[in-house]
Amino acid sequence: MAERSFAREVEDLKLGEGEIFRGEGILAITKALLQSGVSYVGGYQGSPISHLMDVLADAKDIMEDLGVHFETSASEAAAAAMLSASVMYPVRGAVTWKSTAGTNVASDALSNLSSGGVNGGALIILGEDFGEGSSIMQERSHAFAMKSQMWLLDPRPNLPSMVQAVEDGFQLSEASNTPVMLEVRIRACHVHGQFVTKDNQRPKFTLRQALENPVRDVNRIVLPPANFGQEKDKLERRWPAAVNFIKERKLNEHFGPEEGEIGIITLGGLYNGVMRGLQQLGLADVYGNSSVPIYVMNVAYPTIDDEVVEFCLGKKAVIMVEEGAPEYVEQTLHTLMRRRDIQTRLHGKDILPLGGEYTAPVMMKGLKTFIEMYDRLLLGNQPPVPDPSDVLNDPKVKALAEVVPQRPAGFCTGCPERPIFAAMKLVEKELGEHHVSADIGCHLFSILPPFNIGGTTMGYGLGPASASAFNVEADKRSIAVMGDGGFWHNGLATSVGNAVFNKQDGVILVVDNFYSAATGGQDILSSRAINPNRKTNNSIVNAVKGIGATWVRQIDRTYDVAKMRDTLKEALTSKEKGPKIIVASSECMLNKQRRVKPQFNQAVKDGKRMVKERFGVDEDVCTGDHACIRLSGCPSLSVKHTDDPLKDDPVAAIDNSCVGCGNCGEVSEAAVLCPSFYRADVIMNPTGWDKFLSKFRSSVIGWLQARRAAGRVVFAEA
């Protein structure tokens, strides 16, 4: 088992009434679920909520003691479908995934869930992945909440607020019979702090009770004519119930003075950024005291009309701080204020950027512009504040950018996927370029230098499906790539099954690195690890053969670049029709190091003889053609200058981050081990024989070096 262990963090989940929890935001949410009497939890890992799944997996004993069922779902859709348990029964359930990619996958189940409504509390925790740290499309979860009329919580990013939001979310769901979304942005997930804990609660109604006392209510099933009544119920009963609950519990908050010429309306998740911007303008302190009235929408949807109206009345202008596009809340406020004939000016995206992340400098600039328009005296006499964008226009910065090349994101040191794409580049030199459909996962780095491979990416496990339009007669075949995580998530049926059914004559490459590596190294169906809680070691090859694939090849060591190259060439030139499937397997190096290093260090500590392989480059042999770098791109490979007057180019060099995978030597000279590379074995706890051999070798090498040096002196004198 190679999944990251959270054994220490799990102990904090046992804290009881009145104790202090100290830690990370996402871990606090995990504790809040147990305090709320949740009956079942599911989800699919992905930044920034992977920790929640990982911690719950390690907390199996605690969960069992409380009677809480937990499982890692096969996809976000599977997780959303779990919440159907709360439709008929008064059980609390929570699921989690990375948004918005995950919400896209889960949207079918969510639509049905929200239509029929729920009996028990149903909470969907979304890792809102928006902004500079995001790896996905820049969309927001707000649209899904509006579309399906599910309530959306967006708490202030501090631990007490987020923990309270979990408890409020379950209660709001039950009060309005509606699923509730709780979005937490990247910074909220990783913010550190503390809160006062409560005792963990056993579910008031268990899943066992539900199974032994089945209930059936046709009015909650999405089927005519009940579905038309469900839509009526949403608008006439559930919505007002939610609004009343939010108002009575005061889920939205006010800060700053009660009255003022201007005001700020902000979503809860952006509160810290707003306060930081005000602090830099001298209008707030580090304790959260503001000179400007602020209305914080910890409930992003629905909008509480009466609260907004009350806040806006008597003010010259307010500004809506809403990150991302389109401006859903701002449009709602414009409609509300026109209908109520409120003359307060409303600003938002006309001052703040239309898109992009609202960092503190962005907030400061936008708020400063707004305040100068309506209440300049608030700012007082301030020195000019430099525009953050001026730094980019600095001539020195521009000159530096021309000299220092950008460093594109890339594979980890020793990544087993790197030789796969090196082999693909070698085939490209021989057979020409091919259309390559990429997929979500680490292999997306192949799109960037030095490989520059991949034309499209349409979703997790959809790489081969996105090449389906190219199933036409042509002199070349399409190539589609997906990882083992994507394969089990969506790819088996949607990509491989689709290709088999339609007799697609393309090449499908499944990168099998034993884990869902990109999301943190979680075990999946084909993991080679022995996991006591899950059934692993299920073969991808057997799975694709089971749905009818006939041309299937497996390479169990991707670092064999020559074999990878030859297998790819065979797939692209084979006369056999139908999909050609290559399963390229090697363990994710990051997870391997995480697993092996503690074992290695313990063995050394125990006095066992251990050998660590290291690679190096012989400067005298290296020609400086840098084929190893061009076809590898490994971060541990660099160049250094040589004193050899016969060499104009710097030679290759390997730094201490090398993990000894050997790929750099393999790809050199067209996948033949380059003679300039050498392997050195570092021996820990050497035996007497090891010491004798080392001494003997040093003596021989020293004698040869002295002889060579003497020869150079004779040659120079001549």
Side-chain angles (χ1 to χ4, degrees):
M1 186 173 179
E3 293 176 313
R4 180 181 172 187
S5 173
F6 286 86
R8 184 189 62 78
E9 289 84 350
V10 164
E11 292 302 310
D12 291 338
L13 300 181
K14 299 177 182 178
L15 295 175
E17 183 71 34
E19 296 186 87
I20 304 297
F21 178 101
R22 295 179 177 86
E24 206 171 9
I26 196 66
L27 301 175
I29 290 175
T30 312
K31 170 62 174 165
L33 290 173
L34 301 182
Q35 293 180 175
S36 300
V38 69
S39 293
Y40 63 96
V41 185
Y44 193 85
Q45 63 275 353
S47 174
I49 52 81
S50 290
H51 284 12
L52 195 154
M53 299 296 296
D54 296 337
V55 170
L56 288 170
D58 281 347
K60 184 174 182 293
D61 293 341
I62 299 174
M63 307 279 278
E64 287 181 349
D65 288 343
L66 290 171
V68 180
H69 172 64
F70 166 75
E71 68 177 50
T72 302
S73 308
S75 69
E76 296 86 356
M82 278 187 76
L83 291 175
S84 67
S86 296
V87 171
M88 297 294 178
Y89 306 98
V91 292
R92 287 185 169 182
V95 294
T96 182
W97 55 70
K98 172 191 182 80
S99 187
T100 57
T103 316
N104 289 333
V105 175
S107 59
D108 190 8
L110 290 178
S111 294
N112 283 277
L113 183 74
S114 63
S115 185
V118 293
N119 191 343
L123 189 65
I124 303 146
I125 301 170
L126 304 173
E128 192 75 351
D129 195 6
F130 184 91
E132 295 175 359
S134 173
S135 61
I136 61 169
M137 74 292 289
Q138 296 295 278
E139 293 182 353
R140 299 164 57 199
S141 304
H142 202 105
F144 288 93
M146 295 172 65
K147 173 185 73 68
S148 298
Q149 291 180 28
M150 295 179 287
W151 319 136
L152 177 63
L153 304 185
D154 186 9
R156 289 189 293 126
N158 63 69
L159 267 57
S161 295
M162 291 189 289
V163 169
Q164 185 62 45
V166 172
E167 298 178 9
D168 291 337
F170 280 120
Q171 294 173 16
L172 173 60
S173 176
E174 291 162 350
S176 61
N177 301 118
T178 304
V180 171
M181 290 177 161
L182 170 63
E183 64 175 355
V184 279
R185 294 171 173 80
I186 295 176
R187 288 181 172 83
C189 288
H190 300 305
V191 69
H192 280 252
Q194 65 182 44
F195 71 95
V196 179
T197 61
K198 300 177 182 177
D199 289 333
N200 293 333
Q201 300 293 322
R202 295 184 62 83
K204 294 179 180 178
F205 190 86
T206 66
L207 293 171
R208 179 171 182 169
Q209 288 175 286
L211 275 172
E212 294 175 351
N213 300 277
V215 173
R216 180 172 173 270
D217 182 357
V218 293
N219 290 321
R220 289 196 180 279
I221 300 174
V222 186
L223 187 71
N227 56 326
F228 303 108
Q230 291 162 8
E231 184 67 18
K232 189 171 185 288
D233 188 50
K234 278 185 182 182
L235 298 174
E236 295 181 359
R237 185 183 65 83
R238 294 191 216 162
W239 191 311
V243 170
N244 289 336
F245 181 91
I246 295 165
K247 290 170 67 174
E248 290 172 3
R249 294 296 184 91
K250 295 182 171 26
L251 300 190
N252 297 323
E253 300 174 283
H254 290 81
F255 295 94
E258 294 185 4
E259 298 180 355
E261 294 288 309
I262 59 174
I264 299 171
I265 302 176
T266 180
L267 294 173
L270 300 175
Y271 170 81
N272 285 7
V274 168
M275 292 305 296
R276 181 59 179 157
L278 290 175
Q279 287 172 28
Q280 292 177 333
L281 293 172
L283 299 178
D285 60 25
V286 294
Y287 302 104
N289 299 309
S290 169
S291 300
V292 181
I294 304 174
Y295 173 59
V296 180
M297 296 176 63
N298 292 314
V299 181
Y301 183 80
T303 305
I304 309 303
D305 295 354
D306 293 344
E307 292 183 355
V308 173
V309 168
E310 183 181 354
F311 181 78
C312 292
L313 283 174
K315 293 181 174 63
K316 289 182 181 177
V318 296
I319 183 170
M320 178 68 224
V321 181
E322 177 185 9
E323 188 177 65
E327 60 276 27
Y328 298 116
V329 182
E330 186 181 340
Q331 291 175 11
T332 300
L333 298 190
H334 274 294
T335 301
L336 170 63
M337 295 172 76
R338 295 293 75 78
R339 284 178 177 173
R340 299 286 184 95
D341 194 26
I342 298 171
Q343 301 307 309
T344 303
R345 296 291 304 274
L346 175 63
H347 293 276
K349 297 292 185 182
D350 55 335
I351 293 177
L352 292 161
L354 293 174
E357 187 174 4
Y358 283 6
T359 59
V362 171
M363 294 281 200
M364 181 192 69
K365 183 179 179 181
L367 293 175
K368 183 173 184 287
T369 301
F370 171 69
I371 295 169
E372 285 178 336
M373 291 171 62
Y374 293 99
D375 201 352
R376 177 66 182 80
L377 293 177
L378 268 178
L379 295 172
N381 295 320
Q382 292 187 334
V385 179
D387 189 333
S389 62
D390 291 343
V391 176
L392 300 177
N393 298 320
D394 189 320
K396 294 181 180 178
V397 175
K398 287 185 175 181
L400 186 64
E402 293 175 1
V403 176
V404 180
Q406 290 186 356
R407 180 183 178 185
F411 298 105
C412 299
T413 301
C415 176
E417 299 189 21
R418 184 176 282 108
I420 296 173
F421 297 104
M424 199 176 292
K425 293 299 287 187
L426 294 171
V427 173
E428 184 181 284
K429 289 177 64 177
E430 186 175 350
L431 301 181
E433 292 186 7
H434 290 72
H435 174 80
V436 180
S437 294
D439 203 297
I440 304 300
C442 298
H443 36 276
L444 270 184
F445 292 131
S446 65
I447 292 176
L448 304 173
F451 302 112
N452 301 302
I453 289 174
T456 57
T457 174
M458 298 303 294
Y460 202 27
L462 297 180
S466 61
S468 58
F470 297 102
N471 186 28
V472 296
E473 289 291 334
D475 294 334
K476 290 184 178 180
R477 287 175 173 145
S478 66
I479 302 173
V481 183
M482 67 176 165
D484 46 359
F487 174 84
W488 293 114
H489 176 276
N490 201 17
L492 177 58
T494 308
S495 284
V496 179
N498 182 62
V500 171
F501 182 71
N502 290 294
K503 296 183 177 180
Q504 292 176 13
D505 195 32
V507 177
I508 297 175
L509 178 62
V510 182
V511 181
D512 171 27
N513 53 26
F514 302 6
Y515 313 98
S516 183
T519 61
Q522 293 81 11
D523 281 333
I524 53 178
L525 276 162
S526 52
S527 293
R528 307 289 177 94
I530 303 300
N531 191 317
N533 301 322
R534 302 183 180 97
K535 187 179 186 302
T536 52
N537 285 280
N538 300 284
S539 169
I540 293 176
V541 170
N542 290 346
V544 298
K545 287 183 177 179
I547 60 172
T550 55
W551 197 106
V552 183
R553 305 286 187 271
Q554 180 164 24
I555 298 174
D556 230 14
R557 183 178 174 272
T558 62
Y559 297 103
D560 189 341
V561 179
K563 187 174 182 179
M564 278 295 319
R565 176 196 60 192
D566 295 342
T567 306
L568 275 166
K569 183 179 177 182
E570 180 190 358
L572 290 167
T573 57
S574 172
K575 292 183 180 180
E576 184 176 333
K577 297 297 182 181
K580 267 64 69 176
I581 300 172
I582 302 171
V583 181
S585 306
S586 273
E587 184 176 8
C588 165
M589 186 57 71
L590 195 63
N591 283 279
K592 181 178 180 180
Q593 294 299 313
R594 184 184 295 154
R595 175 175 60 84
V596 170
K597 277 185 176 181
Q599 298 172 353
F600 186 94
N601 294 336
Q602 185 60 47
V604 171
K605 187 177 180 180
D606 294 342
K608 296 180 181 178
R609 179 184 181 275
M610 301 298 293
V611 180
K612 180 180 291 186
E613 293 182 351
R614 295 297 302 273
F615 283 80
V617 177
D618 189 327
E619 295 184 26
D620 293 332
V621 180
C622 179
T623 62
D625 72 337
H626 305 148
C628 54
I629 297 176
R630 291 196 305 274
L631 283 172
S632 168
C634 180
S636 67
L637 271 173
S638 59
V639 293
K640 71 176 183 179
H641 292 286
T642 175
D643 295 330
D644 191 336
L646 299 179
K647 293 181 179 179
D648 296 328
D649 297 320
V651 296
I654 300 177
D655 64 28
N656 288 331
S657 66
C658 173
V659 294
C661 71
N663 179 56
C664 49
E666 285 281 338
V667 299
S668 302
E669 302 298 322
V672 177
L673 187 62
C674 177
S676 67
F677 283 85
Y678 64 84
R679 192 189 79 188
D681 291 343
V682 181
I683 303 175
M684 297 9 177
N685 300 320
T687 63
W689 177 248
D690 291 325
K691 294 176 182 178
F692 169 77
L693 282 179
S694 176
K695 187 175 181 180
F696 174 74
R697 288 166 177 161
S698 298
S699 299
V700 172
I701 293 171
W703 178 76
L704 291 173
Q705 288 175 334
R707 181 184 175 189
R708 181 183 183 187
R712 284 180 173 176
V713 171
V714 173
F715 178 78
E717 290 176 349

